[in-house]
Amino acid sequence: MIPSLAKGGAERVVSILSKEFSKVYDVEVMVKNRKLGMSYDYCGNLIDLEKPVSNNLLVRLYGFISNCVKVIKIKKNNNYDVSISFLEEMNIINVLTSQKVKTVLSIRVYLSILFQRNSLVNMLYVMFIKWFYNKSDFVVAQTQLVKHDLITNFNISKKKVFIIPNPFDLNQITEHSKLSINKKYQIHNEYPVITNIGRLYQQKAQWHLIRLFSQVKEEIHNARLFIIGNGELADDLVSLTKKFGLNVFLFGKDKSNQNADVFFWGQQDNPFDLLSKSDLYLHTSLFEGFPNVLVEAMACGVPIISSDCKSGPREILAPDTNYLVQTEKPEFAKYGVLMPVFDGQINKIYNTDLDAIEMTWADTVIKLLKNQEMRDYYSLRAKERSKDYAVKSVVNAWKNMLEKLR
């Protein structure tokens, strides 16, 4: 059960699980409305609830109640053994309509940060989670920190929570990294490349990335920044880049990228070609659940510099350390570099004065770009670590959990 199969981390996991589970189970994939997107393939029968798409609160509430009624009938008629849901709306529908079906809820983000703003919708979500999630059979968290958050702040029973990270098709990533994005835009190895991938909105904090990159350019004049993704902050980020006097390349609009400093590549079906040509991957997020792109970059052998945000980066890059700790200075960990989290104040998006954290990031980026030996070390360690998230081992963890429901 998932809202859609449009682009996204949870959607990609459902795609992989449906294909792997179909080898041993009968599988059906349920979406709220297929019109929301079907970017990923899947195995099994598709059930479309055809929920109305609207921002109107009353329409959304009606759609939610209507979906609950539909799902109750579907579960009763189809005689499911287990229903697994992803993302909060579907998690709530799943547990409210459990009937005699075993229910598994998958948590994809650090909920305490996601729902920290005092809005009516957020308060309703928190209330539902505290009241109903314990009625499920199991809850899947992607990290130790998410599990800790569920137990401590949402009163979820410790016995119900399983930690299962996301699966990655490492062979497919390797193959896709060899495909060219477009022959017209050949990327050469004559300059150092820093890359970031993610939706262009507040959580990902790319305005901090552009500001610190302007300082990197002061020291390493031929450095280039690749930003891959779309989002509501796209125009603001382009304007900020120009405000720093940096040249911009917009994929699909500009004919030449020869003199660009910052490349806005938009949404790419295959970002791995660009990733594989990168010297560093910078992950600037303010919070996460499990940042898929870190593992994808590591599978491409790209050294990582990441914010030590809640949750995921520390458990990926420094698995032997205390997952409750957040660093206040550069931490050169086992599989990558962890950095202090930015303040994330979006009202300062056009401020060109760098703060102390941004300067610290810029200094660390410069240090790694000037040190080939250190980059080679982290490149090898990154590839090594990515193997821990291969499809087979992660799917086996899911199967082992499901066997406990028999």
Side-chain angles (χ1 to χ4, degrees):
M1 300 173 63
I2 192 165
S4 76
L5 284 175
K7 285 292 183 183
E11 292 81 358
R12 186 186 60 79
V13 171
V14 169
S15 171
I16 292 173
L17 291 181
S18 73
K19 287 182 276 190
E20 293 297 319
F21 285 171
S22 291
K23 297 174 182 178
V24 289
Y25 308 124
D26 293 324
V27 174
E28 292 191 331
V29 178
M30 182 185 294
V31 296
K32 287 196 307 182
N33 192 325
R34 67 181 303 152
K35 292 179 181 178
L36 293 171
M38 295 294 294
S39 300
Y40 291 104
D41 56 358
Y42 60 92
C43 282
N45 181 46
L46 181 73
I47 297 176
D48 184 358
L49 297 176
E50 299 180 344
K51 178 188 174 182
V53 179
S54 174
N55 291 323
N56 183 283
L57 186 59
L58 291 177
V59 175
R60 290 172 64 186
L61 181 60
Y62 167 78
F64 176 81
I65 296 171
S66 174
N67 278 347
C68 285
V69 174
K70 288 180 182 178
V71 173
I72 287 174
K73 293 180 180 178
I74 291 169
K75 286 185 176 181
K76 183 177 180 180
N77 292 337
N78 293 12
N79 196 29
Y80 297 135
D81 297 300
V82 184
S83 59
I84 306 171
S85 52
F86 292 75
L87 305 175
E88 269 30 79
E89 183 178 354
M90 292 303 257
N91 281 338
I92 292 170
I93 291 174
N94 190 16
V95 74
L96 287 179
T97 63
S98 57
Q99 302 292 298
K100 296 180 180 180
V101 180
K102 301 290 186 181
T103 57
V104 178
L105 315 180
S106 179
I107 310 302
R108 316 299 302 173
V109 73
Y110 193 84
L111 292 179
S112 289
I113 296 179
L114 180 64
F115 296 132
Q116 66 184 351
R117 289 196 301 175
N118 291 323
S119 70
L120 176 60
V121 173
N122 283 355
M123 287 188 287
L124 287 172
Y125 269 123
V126 171
M127 180 182 70
F128 270 106
I129 291 169
K130 289 183 176 180
W131 285 0
F132 294 110
Y133 275 28
N134 264 327
K135 297 183 182 298
S136 67
D137 292 279
F138 291 141
V139 177
V140 173
Q142 297 165 293
T143 65
Q144 290 278 3
L145 192 57
V146 169
K147 177 179 179 178
H148 179 268
D149 182 46
L150 291 171
I151 296 167
T152 305
N153 298 317
F154 294 91
N155 305 321
I156 309 300
S157 170
K158 181 179 181 180
K159 295 179 181 179
K160 290 181 180 286
V161 185
F162 285 73
I163 299 172
I164 306 178
N166 288 343
F168 295 85
D169 189 335
L170 302 180
N171 292 330
Q172 185 182 74
I173 290 173
T174 300
E175 288 302 311
H176 284 187
S177 70
K178 299 173 183 177
L179 302 176
S180 177
I181 179 174
N182 190 318
K183 291 183 179 179
K184 187 168 68 172
Y185 300 114
Q186 289 297 318
I187 309 303
H188 303 287
N189 296 322
E190 61 197 40
Y191 45 73
V193 172
I194 299 164
T195 297
N196 172 276
I197 300 176
R199 183 179 167 193
L200 309 183
Y201 73 135
Q202 186 172 4
Q203 177 194 343
K204 304 300 183 180
Q206 286 101 341
W207 68 93
H208 289 292
L209 173 63
I210 291 169
R211 289 215 292 263
L212 73 90
F213 178 69
S214 70
Q215 183 64 29
V216 172
K217 288 283 288 185
E218 294 291 323
E219 185 77 19
I220 303 177
H221 305 300
N222 64 340
R224 302 289 189 269
L225 174 61
F226 289 178
I227 297 178
I228 305 170
N230 291 327
E232 61 255 32
L233 292 182
D235 292 341
D236 290 301
L237 295 176
V238 171
S239 297
L240 178 64
T241 302
K242 293 177 179 178
K243 190 171 183 179
F244 275 107
L246 300 172
N247 294 322
V248 171
F249 168 76
L250 300 176
F251 180 70
K253 293 183 179 180
D254 295 335
K255 294 182 179 180
S256 173
N257 60 0
Q258 293 301 309
N259 299 315
D261 301 302
V262 180
F263 296 63
F264 289 89
W265 291 102
Q267 183 70 44
Q268 294 289 333
D269 292 333
N270 173 30
F272 304 115
D273 171 54
L274 295 171
L275 263 179
S276 65
K277 293 178 172 62
S278 304
D279 296 275
L280 288 177
Y281 183 83
L282 265 60
H283 190 73
T284 55
S285 289
L286 305 177
F287 66 95
E288 289 282 357
F290 185 96
N292 291 332
V293 70
L294 283 191
V295 178
E296 291 169 341
M298 295 168 83
C300 291
V302 183
I304 306 293
I305 299 179
S306 174
S307 66
D308 190 12
C309 67
K310 298 178 179 178
S311 71
R314 174 165 291 277
E315 293 179 50
I316 295 170
L317 301 178
D320 301 326
T321 63
N322 184 349
Y323 62 85
L324 296 175
V325 170
Q326 279 187 293
T327 190
E328 296 180 355
K329 60 183 181 180
E331 180 179 336
F332 291 83
K334 187 174 182 179
Y335 297 108
V337 183
L338 290 165
M339 299 293 293
V341 182
F342 298 106
D343 64 25
Q345 295 185 36
I346 199 166
N347 60 311
K348 297 180 180 179
I349 191 167
Y350 286 114
N351 184 357
T352 56
D353 295 326
L354 272 64
D355 62 29
I357 292 177
E358 290 167 338
M359 289 297 296
T360 299
W361 272 72
D363 291 342
T364 305
V365 171
I366 291 168
K367 180 176 182 178
L368 261 74
L369 287 181
K370 288 186 171 183
N371 191 328
Q372 182 68 53
E373 184 178 351
M374 185 178 292
R375 293 203 310 278
D376 289 344
Y377 170 81
Y378 275 124
S379 175
L380 290 173
R381 299 312 297 269
K383 278 229 169 195
E384 174 188 332
R385 177 61 168 151
S386 69
K387 295 176 183 177
D388 293 334
Y389 302 100
V391 168
K392 184 177 180 179
S393 61
V394 175
V395 170
N396 282 341
W398 274 94
K399 289 178 181 177
N400 290 337
M401 180 200 67
L402 293 176
E403 288 300 312
K404 297 180 186 298
L405 292 175
R406 287 186 181 275

